[in-house]
Every structure is written in C-alpha cells, then in structure tokens.
Amino acid sequence: MSGMHSAITISISSHNYKPAPHGFGSGTWFRNTKMFEKAFGTAISAEGPERLKNVYFVYLLELRALMKAAPYLQKELFFTGNEEEDRETRQLVEDLMEIIKTYPHQFDETEMFTGVESHARELREEFRQHFVNISRIMDCVECDKCRLWGKLQTHGMGTALKILFSDLPSSLFKSQESAMIPTNFQLTRNEVVALFQSFGRYASSIFEVEHFRPEIMGKNYRRTEL
C-alpha cells in the first residue's frame, strides 16, 4: 500500500494545480517540487526514501509478472471491436514484451513465502486475497476518480501476484473443500487491463522521480543510467 500511496503522491506533485488569483480565469498546472521534497525528503521524516523504494519495488514486481505472463499475453487477441486498433494493440504488447525480456532479472518471486510448499501456497493465496479485500475497501472512497484509480491499481497488483504465484501454464485454486486443484491459467479482461494500467502508473511515477531529483539536488545531481 505504501508503494501505491507514494505513486499517487508523485503524480499529484508532478501535476499540481494552482487556481487563478481570486478565483478568476484559468489556473495553471505546475511541478510542485516542494510537495515532492516534503513527502520524500528527510527533513521531516526519515521514511521518505523508504517510500520511494516501495514504488520501485512494486514496479519491479509488476515488471516480473508481465515477463512471466509474456507467452500468455502474446497469444491474446485483445479484441476491441476495431480491427485496426486490435492490430495496433497486439503489436504494442508484442513490442513491450520484447523490451521486458531484455531485463530478465527484475524480481525473484521464489524468495517470497518459502518453506513447506503446501503451507507456502496457502500463504501466497492468502496474501493475494488481501489485495482483493483492499479493492473492496476502495468502494468506500467518496471521490469517483480516486475510487476508480485506487481499485484499478490494487486490482493490477492482485493480478501481478496471481501471475507470480501461479505455476504457469497451469494454476491452482482452492475448492470449497479447501483442496488445491490444478487448472489452466487464465486472466480476465479486467485483470489484463488493470495490470497494464497499474504498471504504466508506476512507470510514470519513476519517470517523474528522475525529473524531480535534479530539481532538488541542483548542480550536485548526476544522473545514473540503470
């Protein structure tokens, strides 16, 4: 949750709105460096850098999920109702998957929930279900846009965990008798949309961070190529 909250804060800081003086005329959009520095600097709290690390962590986790699901996603038709858009979407997904494959060591999900396999599987499923519950909590948010973006991102994270904790190309689900039953792996349309949307949000946040850093550090900043 810290990663999602931090990503939202970065987005607000990079697209901050300043109303017109006295409320007349059009306002202006600007990059609020002070807001960013207050949220992620160390002047007020030492937790700022840790919050940024959580953004990178979620980004790498979802990047790994996309790579693991690449064979599945590359076979999808992505039907939109428009043949030209269908072809364009499939090509964009294909291009993205090829780029992701050039970074094969993003995240090692096998390090999570290790131990006795049967118990580890239950813990992984329980962990994934927590994100489903968080998505339901988002229903209580009054702002329609906030609720929409919040549910999309939590659903995207839940989808990433579903992929990482599945034994592709098969998967496992718990029956009413609490038995783990193998089945063919599949993603719903909403899961695919949520995963791509969430990944895009975190990628945009990291992009903005790289622009905030020189603004804060000034001449002492040196960009490091990853």
Side-chain angles (χ1 to χ4, degrees):
M1 289 302 294
S2 173
M4 183 178 73
H5 182 268
S6 298
I8 293 172
T9 302
I10 294 169
S11 179
I12 294 173
S13 300
S14 58
H15 301 89
N16 211 230
Y17 182 74
K18 182 179 181 180
H22 310 296
F24 296 100
S26 301
T28 56
W29 294 92
F30 70 106
R31 298 176 60 80
N32 196 329
T33 305
K34 290 184 178 180
M35 177 186 289
F36 179 88
E37 190 171 11
K38 181 179 179 181
F40 302 107
T42 56
I44 298 178
S45 171
E47 296 179 357
E50 289 299 319
R51 297 191 188 106
L52 282 181
K53 287 182 180 179
N54 289 332
V55 175
Y56 282 86
F57 172 79
V58 178
Y59 172 78
L60 290 174
L61 186 146
E62 293 189 351
L63 185 67
R64 168 58 184 160
L66 284 170
M67 180 179 177
K68 187 174 181 180
Y72 176 89
L73 294 171
Q74 288 173 310
K75 293 179 181 178
E76 284 293 290
L77 296 178
F78 296 102
F79 180 74
T80 64
N82 183 298
E83 292 186 4
E84 183 177 349
E85 291 183 359
D86 291 347
R87 288 193 296 271
E88 182 179 353
T89 301
R90 285 194 291 270
Q91 186 59 54
L92 288 172
V93 171
E94 181 71 27
D95 293 343
L96 177 61
M97 295 301 106
E98 291 303 317
I99 293 173
I100 290 176
K101 288 178 182 178
T102 62
Y103 301 93
H105 306 295
Q106 312 96 347
F107 186 88
D108 186 1
E109 67 275 12
T110 61
E111 295 295 324
M112 300 177 68
F113 307 111
T114 57
V116 179
E117 182 58 24
S118 59
H119 182 55
R121 287 187 185 278
E122 290 185 7
L123 286 176
R124 290 196 291 264
E125 178 62 20
E126 181 180 345
F127 187 69
R128 189 181 69 84
Q129 286 298 326
H130 282 318
F131 282 87
V132 177
N133 294 334
I134 292 172
S135 180
R136 291 170 181 165
I137 293 173
M138 290 291 177
D139 290 332
C140 301
V141 177
E142 293 185 3
C143 173
D144 291 339
K145 290 183 178 180
C146 298
R147 182 168 61 251
L148 172 62
W149 289 116
K151 287 179 72 69
L152 267 174
Q153 287 195 246
T154 52
H155 194 30
M157 171 64 83
T159 302
L161 293 173
K162 172 182 177 178
I163 294 170
L164 292 178
F165 298 157
S166 295
D167 299 319
L168 298 179
S170 63
S171 183
L172 292 168
F173 72 92
K174 185 176 290 186
S175 67
Q176 293 181 350
E177 293 77 22
S178 297
M180 303 302 288
I181 302 175
T183 184
N184 291 331
F185 177 82
Q186 61 181 3
L187 294 172
T188 66
R189 181 187 182 93
N190 287 344
E191 286 174 330
V192 173
V193 171
L195 178 57
F196 277 117
Q197 188 278 334
S198 180
F199 179 71
R201 280 285 165 177
Y202 285 104
S204 297
S205 295
I206 291 174
F207 177 82
E208 295 296 343
V209 169
E210 292 304 311
H211 282 76
F212 272 118
R213 281 176 173 166
E215 294 174 8
I216 294 173
M217 300 177 67
K219 296 180 180 179
N220 295 325
Y221 176 75
R222 290 185 179 180
R223 185 179 297 276
T224 301
E225 296 294 336
L226 298 179

